[in-house]
């Protein structure tokens, strides 16, 4: 089932924000053996089938930012019966089967490129039973290293068009966000 394009309500903005940020980092989430991204400023464009395009976001990262996301991923692995990550040259494939909100989410993803300059990713997730009326989702992303972080930016800073900025490192430590993520399981 493809979701129809619709405006984002105020109440769904935090969840959409988390989803987009997680998607931009998806190449880092499934396992510790994923390549690390080059520290600096990354520009990431995501496209989710059935959702309006948000435009490119920018993220300032360092080693700690990727490590924090991988620590969160390791916590989530307990909800997964299958996590298969394979790297061959500049191609990483992922197959996972995880429980989320009473549904089984089966995800297949392919990331191609160099995690120190640019990479692309395609993710396809099927939900059984459907989650919130959605039986599948498809997302693509393009990420490219822009250069050093801008003056005044600190690792974890994310700037999203029409949404503004936040710091993913601080957000992941926020008890309210941690509780919301627990409820999403």
């Amino acid at each position: 089932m493809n979701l129809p394009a619709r405006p984002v309500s105020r109440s769904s903005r935090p969840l959409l924000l988390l989803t987009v940020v997680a998607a931009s980092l998806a190449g880092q989430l499934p396992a510790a053996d994923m390549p690390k991204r080059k520290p600096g400023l990354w520009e990431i464009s995501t496209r989710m089938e059935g959702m309006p395009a948000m435009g490119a976001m920018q993220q300032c990262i360092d080693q700690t930012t990727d490590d924090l996301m991988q620590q969160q991923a390791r916590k989530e692995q307990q909800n997964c019966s299958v996590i298969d990550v394979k790297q061959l040259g500049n191609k990483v494939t992922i197959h996972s089967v995880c429980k989320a909100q009473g549904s089984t989410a089966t995800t297949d993803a392919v990331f191609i490129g160099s995690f120190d300059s640019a990479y692309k990713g395609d993710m396809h997730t099927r939900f059984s039973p459907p989650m919130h009326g959605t039986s599948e989702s498809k997302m693509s992303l393009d990420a490219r290293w822009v250069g050093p972080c801008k003056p005044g930016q600190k690792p974890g800073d994310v700037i999203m068009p029409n949404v503004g900025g936040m710091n993913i490192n601080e957000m992941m430590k926020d008890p309210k966000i941690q509780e919301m993520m627990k409820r999403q399981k």
Side-chain angles (χ1 to χ4, degrees):
M1 170 180 167
N2 294 330
L3 295 172
R6 61 182 182 264
V8 178
S9 70
R10 269 184 139 41
S11 63
S12 65
R13 280 185 185 165
L15 184 56
L16 176 64
L17 188 60
L18 280 176
T19 301
V20 172
V21 171
S24 74
L25 301 171
Q28 301 302 304
L29 291 177
D33 54 351
M34 287 293 295
K36 300 281 187 178
R37 293 177 293 171
K38 181 177 183 175
L41 187 61
W42 284 82
E43 184 175 271
I44 305 159
S45 298
T46 59
R47 294 164 306 288
M48 184 175 270
E49 197 171 89
M51 296 290 286
M54 291 185 63
M57 67 176 149
Q58 291 190 336
Q59 181 182 24
C60 175
I61 72 139
D62 65 354
Q63 194 64 55
T64 303
T65 305
D66 275 354
D67 288 346
L68 181 63
M69 295 308 297
Q70 287 187 8
Q71 288 170 10
Q72 183 64 36
R74 281 190 285 278
K75 289 179 189 175
E76 299 299 321
Q77 286 181 354
Q78 66 188 6
N79 300 317
C80 301
S81 59
V82 176
I83 299 178
D84 184 29
V85 180
K86 294 180 180 163
Q87 183 173 2
L88 184 59
N90 71 343
K91 181 178 181 180
V92 177
T93 60
I94 301 165
H95 173 75
S96 66
V97 179
C98 303
K99 294 284 186 186
Q101 297 184 26
S103 182
T104 299
T106 302
T107 301
D108 289 292
V110 176
F111 295 90
I112 298 173
S114 170
F115 286 80
D116 64 356
S117 60
Y119 62 93
K120 295 176 183 250
D122 289 303
M123 293 157 277
H124 181 207
T125 302
R126 293 161 308 284
F127 301 98
S128 179
M131 184 187 296
H132 305 293
T134 300
S135 59
E136 71 175 353
S137 70
K138 294 180 181 178
M139 184 176 13
S140 298
L141 65 88
D142 291 297
R144 69 181 182 91
W145 189 78
V146 178
C149 295
K150 294 178 183 174
Q153 284 184 321
K154 61 184 179 192
D157 282 352
V158 176
I159 301 169
M160 298 178 70
N162 303 316
V163 177
M166 61 176 200
N167 187 286
I168 190 75
N169 295 351
E170 293 167 10
M171 187 178 82
M172 295 300 286
K173 295 175 187 173
D174 184 327
K176 292 178 186 175
I177 298 297
Q178 290 177 353
E179 183 61 33
M180 186 171 80
M181 291 175 74
K182 285 180 189 175
R183 287 192 306 254
Q184 297 299 316
K185 293 180 185 177

